[in-house]
Amino acid sequence: MAEKKQGDHRSGFMSQEEMHECDEFLGKLEMNRGEMADYYNDWDKIQEAYAMNQELEDNAPNSRVNIVCANIEGQIDGIIAQNIDVTCIGEGPSDKGFARWGEIGLDWTLRKNRIKRTLDRFIRRFKLFGHSWIKLGWDADAVKKFGLVELTCPPPQQMFVDQKITDPLHIQDADYIAEVMLRSRRWAEKEYGEIAEAIHFGTSDRSPIFAKEMTTDDEDAFWLVQRWFFSDGKLRMQEMSDDGVLLRDSFKKWDGKKFAKKENPKPYYRYNKYPYFLLACYYEEGKLLGFGDGRLLRPLQDMLNDLYDQIRRAAKPNRDLFDPNSEVDLDSIDEDDGPIPCMNPNQNHKTVQRGNVNPALFQLIENIHREVQRVIRFSELMMGQQGMSDTATEAAIQQQQGASSLDRTKQMLEEMLVDLCVYSLDLMMEKYGAAKFFRISEDEDKFEWIDFRKLNSVPAMVPADDAYIQQFSASHPEEPKPEWMALLDEQGKEVTKSVDLDIKISIGAGLPTNKAFLYEMFEKLGSMVATGKDGVPKNVLTREEIRALAEDFLGLPLDDEELNAIPLQMPIPPQGSMPSAMPGANVGGLTPNGNPAMSALPGVTA
């Protein structure tokens, strides 16, 4: 952080207690940052290897074989290409009726936040550096002032956690979580008004990893420190500049001259937990932050570069030696064709073989590529590479192991997203002050009117007692006996509660997103024949159904000519023989052993 100025520049609007508190916290933050120096150096080297920005050496081949980027991006593609599905289930009978509202609202929130773009950055940092953050906030101006839960992915070098915490699962027990952000003078003046005049711009320490080079624009910049902590058990947020100017405090209000304490302040968010979510890749015991595939792959990439340097040094072209008395016209050696004039080339010319490369170097390169797959359990086959397998069985095993590695990452990510969605739903229930039409994503022509405020007052239900059942049956004799009844207080009024939903996130649920694959699957289903409940063979999909699916899922309108060009297998009425395609025998065009079913091929019957 920048050197703190004398207290007098803040004394006009900050109390001695406030100045001391800000200075004390900035001191803790500076110590925290010093303890993270080793992490910064490690992340810097990993980032250089990922982007192939290693320093070039003079008079060296400087080979650059990138395996870090290829493997990290391959894993990202394997996760991001999957569908993300939100499911809500009511924990009680009164919650069940509002589960669909929860699903629609959370799905809408994720779509508005471009969740895949956020997860792309999140997973990259998770795999490269070993951990990654997601922050939850509230943007009151979003969606035409309706408001939106905002999801961001803070850079790892700008996050600081109480150093007593050594387990990422226990960050809610931290004394503080702080985020440091670079902001401009113009932004500060718009955000804080006259308080921004006290900020000392342009002297911030820009040594953190990934910081940009110093420019003239930095003279109007400062580091904004956002501190989250608990006071009297309530979540509190403070914002200050890197030279100790208090800019905002959720427990205080600015009256135009100074900060005044609020009476009985509320938690910054009703959920009353830190709005940060941390996920670690590989754990290091006793440390909050883990390590990732970047640390495992970087030395292997360095070894490959060194081996390729050795090969390039050894694989030099042959040298031609000439006797000075041979009268060789050296200028003609560079010509494409033509004889080289000399007195006696057989006696005055000699070729020295120099391109001998040790075969062991190539074996080492192959072994390193095998080691890459072993340490991260991600197969090169999944990146479209030929791979190291000798048989189809080995290739299938490599593919399966690579998928298992991605499944583990997806499961960890799903659990974190569940926690995030629980927090988000509570924030929507707290912040939304009006109802709104929400488009149901599966059908653009269907909408639902949702008022999240009603989720705060769901009737509390209990098992129906005999008196209630008798009273209900007397007034509704034809209806079945009720299983539940509303809980009443001492005054006879219905007791209400906040909705309680069991939220589940599935990554990879539903149909795949590859449109070419989907279109091919629709065609194959159309060419399949199965016997219906009435015993009559029918096409699994008709041409009109294929037209509807192609338009709904692919955005591809098919005209009659294109539709009629799709080959369909004509159903053959049963004549004492089995139908051409048994139900379930070749679903998706595959037989139970995984091979393509003959009936799935256009124009071919089983």
Side-chain angles (χ1 to χ4, degrees):
M1 298 297 167
E3 181 181 356
K4 292 181 281 291
K5 301 178 66 178
Q6 299 298 323
D8 59 352
H9 87 289
R10 301 173 291 174
S11 59
F13 62 94
M14 290 176 62
S15 65
Q16 291 293 328
E17 180 184 358
E18 290 169 340
M19 289 188 290
H20 175 73
E21 184 180 4
C22 289
D23 292 343
E24 183 181 33
F25 179 71
L26 290 175
K28 288 182 180 179
L29 206 59
E30 189 65 34
M31 293 178 61
N32 193 327
R33 181 176 162 189
E35 293 294 329
M36 292 183 64
D38 291 339
Y39 282 110
Y40 291 148
N41 293 332
D42 189 32
W43 298 341
D44 194 9
K45 293 176 182 177
I46 293 172
Q47 178 67 21
E48 288 178 352
Y50 171 83
M52 293 196 302
N53 285 335
Q54 300 98 321
E55 184 178 354
L56 300 179
E57 300 179 7
D58 295 335
N59 302 319
N62 290 310
S63 300
R64 292 292 179 264
V65 180
N66 195 309
I67 63 172
V68 175
C69 179
N71 282 275
I72 296 297
E73 294 300 320
Q75 295 182 68
I76 295 173
D77 292 342
I79 298 175
I80 294 299
Q82 304 292 327
N83 292 298
I84 300 176
D85 182 65
V86 182
T87 304
C88 294
I89 302 174
E91 292 286 6
S94 58
D95 304 313
K96 182 178 179 180
F98 297 93
R100 181 164 174 79
W101 278 18
E103 289 180 359
I104 295 173
L106 290 173
D107 179 75
W108 178 80
T109 299
L110 295 180
R111 284 192 291 110
K112 287 295 182 180
N113 276 278
R114 305 292 190 266
I115 185 62
K116 289 197 174 184
R117 183 172 59 187
T118 301
L119 291 182
D120 178 89
R121 180 172 297 183
F122 177 88
I123 299 170
R124 182 174 293 104
R125 289 168 174 164
F126 172 76
K127 285 293 183 179
L128 269 179
F129 308 122
H131 75 285
S132 194
W133 293 87
I134 282 187
K135 178 185 180 181
L136 184 149
W138 177 257
D139 185 356
D141 296 328
V143 197
K144 299 181 179 179
K145 305 292 185 179
F146 180 71
L148 178 69
V149 176
E150 184 180 38
L151 307 180
T152 55
C153 185
Q157 79 281 4
Q158 295 181 5
M159 293 299 304
F160 300 90
V161 184
D162 170 21
Q163 292 182 298
K164 295 189 296 294
I165 303 302
T166 58
D167 189 332
L169 298 178
H170 295 160
I171 62 171
Q172 293 297 333
D173 299 328
D175 285 345
Y176 69 86
I177 295 180
E179 181 181 357
V180 181
M181 299 163 276
L182 191 63
R183 293 290 185 262
S184 67
R185 181 194 297 269
R186 181 180 178 183
W187 180 89
E189 292 173 348
K190 179 181 178 181
E191 190 75 10
Y192 306 112
E194 56 188 338
I195 310 178
E197 298 176 1
I199 301 175
H200 190 62
F201 294 92
T203 60
S204 298
D205 178 3
R206 286 159 175 77
S207 64
I209 186 68
F210 313 142
K212 60 189 180 65
E213 297 293 332
M214 187 68 174
T215 66
T216 55
D217 290 340
D218 291 329
E219 295 301 323
D220 285 333
F222 76 106
W223 283 109
L224 171 67
V225 180
Q226 192 175 82
R227 175 194 181 194
W228 297 82
F229 61 108
F230 287 89
S231 289
D232 300 326
K234 300 176 183 178
L235 180 64
R236 182 176 178 180
M237 191 273 286
Q238 284 182 342
E239 290 180 341
M240 64 189 75
S241 66
D242 56 353
D243 63 336
V245 176
L246 182 63
L247 302 170
R248 180 174 291 151
D249 190 331
S250 63
F251 277 29
K252 299 179 181 180
K253 57 183 179 180
W254 176 253
D255 62 7
K257 295 182 179 180
K258 62 179 181 179
F259 288 97
K261 291 184 178 181
K262 296 179 181 178
E263 295 183 4
N264 191 24
K266 296 180 180 180
Y268 192 82
Y269 294 135
R270 185 182 70 175
Y271 199 66
N272 207 33
K273 290 185 178 181
Y274 288 124
Y276 288 95
F277 302 87
L278 173 65
L279 191 62
C281 187
Y282 305 125
Y283 290 96
E284 286 190 273
E285 293 298 332
K287 294 183 179 181
L288 173 66
L289 306 180
F291 65 95
D293 290 339
R295 182 187 292 184
L296 301 176
L297 292 174
R298 188 178 64 83
L300 297 176
Q301 180 169 307
D302 291 341
M303 292 174 63
L304 279 177
N305 289 334
D306 181 65
L307 290 174
Y308 278 110
D309 280 350
Q310 295 184 46
I311 292 173
R312 292 173 64 184
R313 287 190 181 98
K316 294 181 179 179
N318 299 336
R319 296 185 66 183
D320 289 324
L321 305 179
F322 294 92
D323 188 334
N325 297 324
S326 64
E327 299 182 4
V328 172
D329 184 3
L330 298 179
D331 293 337
S332 66
I333 293 179
D334 295 332
E335 295 180 1
D336 296 333
D337 299 310
I340 301 175
C342 62
M343 295 293 293
N344 190 341
N346 294 326
Q347 296 179 2
N348 302 288
H349 171 254
K350 180 180 179 181
T351 299
V352 179
Q353 298 287 339
R354 302 181 62 196
N356 295 325
V357 179
N358 189 341
L361 297 178
F362 296 102
Q363 184 62 44
L364 284 173
I365 289 176
E366 182 178 348
N367 291 341
I368 291 175
H369 280 290
R370 289 184 181 275
E371 182 69 7
V372 168
Q373 296 189 48
R374 187 185 71 84
V375 298
I376 66 171
R377 306 173 309 285
F378 185 73
S379 171
E380 289 188 350
L381 291 170
M382 304 181 74
M383 297 186 293
Q385 302 299 317
Q386 183 176 357
M388 302 296 176
S389 56
D390 297 325
T391 65
T393 301
E394 292 180 1
I397 293 174
Q398 289 183 19
Q399 189 87 357
Q400 181 180 5
Q401 291 300 318
S404 298
S405 176
L406 291 183
D407 288 343
R408 171 182 173 271
T409 301
K410 288 192 289 186
Q411 289 171 2
M412 296 170 64
L413 189 59
E414 287 172 355
E415 289 193 359
M416 187 206 68
L417 289 177
V418 167
D419 295 337
L420 185 146
C421 284
V422 171
Y423 202 137
S424 298
L425 184 61
D426 191 86
L427 194 55
M428 295 160 69
M429 294 160 56
E430 175 190 0
K431 296 293 186 179
Y432 282 134
K436 181 183 183 299
F437 273 119
F438 288 84
R439 179 174 60 84
I440 301 175
S441 59
E442 303 89 52
D443 193 334
E444 296 184 359
D445 297 328
K446 290 186 178 180
F447 304 88
E448 189 145 348
W449 181 258
I450 298 178
D451 189 348
F452 287 100
R453 294 171 296 183
K454 293 184 178 180
L455 300 182
N456 291 307
S457 55
V458 174
M461 305 294 288
V462 294
D465 56 23
D466 293 338
Y468 180 81
I469 294 175
Q470 293 177 3
Q471 181 181 3
F472 182 89
S473 300
S475 56
H476 304 83
E478 297 181 357
E479 297 187 15
K481 296 180 180 180
E483 187 176 358
W484 318 100
M485 69 176 187
L487 177 64
L488 305 178
D489 60 14
E490 295 178 354
Q491 287 75 33
K493 295 182 179 180
E494 291 188 0
V495 177
T496 60
K497 66 181 185 68
S498 294
V499 70
D500 190 6
L501 300 178
D502 180 16
I503 301 175
K504 295 182 180 180
I505 301 290
S506 298
I507 299 178
L511 290 173
T513 57
N514 186 301
K515 294 187 176 182
F517 175 82
L518 284 174
Y519 183 74
E520 183 179 0
M521 183 178 69
F522 296 155
E523 278 192 320
K524 288 182 178 180
L525 288 174
S527 66
M528 293 172 57
V529 174
T531 302
K533 294 181 179 180
D534 55 1
V536 179
K538 299 177 182 178
N539 288 105
V540 175
L541 288 179
T542 66
R543 283 193 171 92
E544 287 302 322
E545 288 171 336
I546 294 176
R547 187 207 298 268
L549 289 171
E551 187 167 354
D552 291 343
F553 288 93
L554 311 179
L556 180 65
L558 299 177
D559 56 28
D560 293 339
E561 183 178 353
E562 294 170 325
L563 197 64
N564 293 328
I566 298 176
L568 298 186
Q569 178 180 333
M570 299 304 296
I572 302 176
Q575 298 179 356
S577 61
M578 294 182 65
S580 59
M582 294 295 293
N586 54 353
V587 177
L590 298 178
T591 59
N593 62 6
N595 296 321
M598 294 300 294
S599 62
L601 301 178
V604 179
T605 58

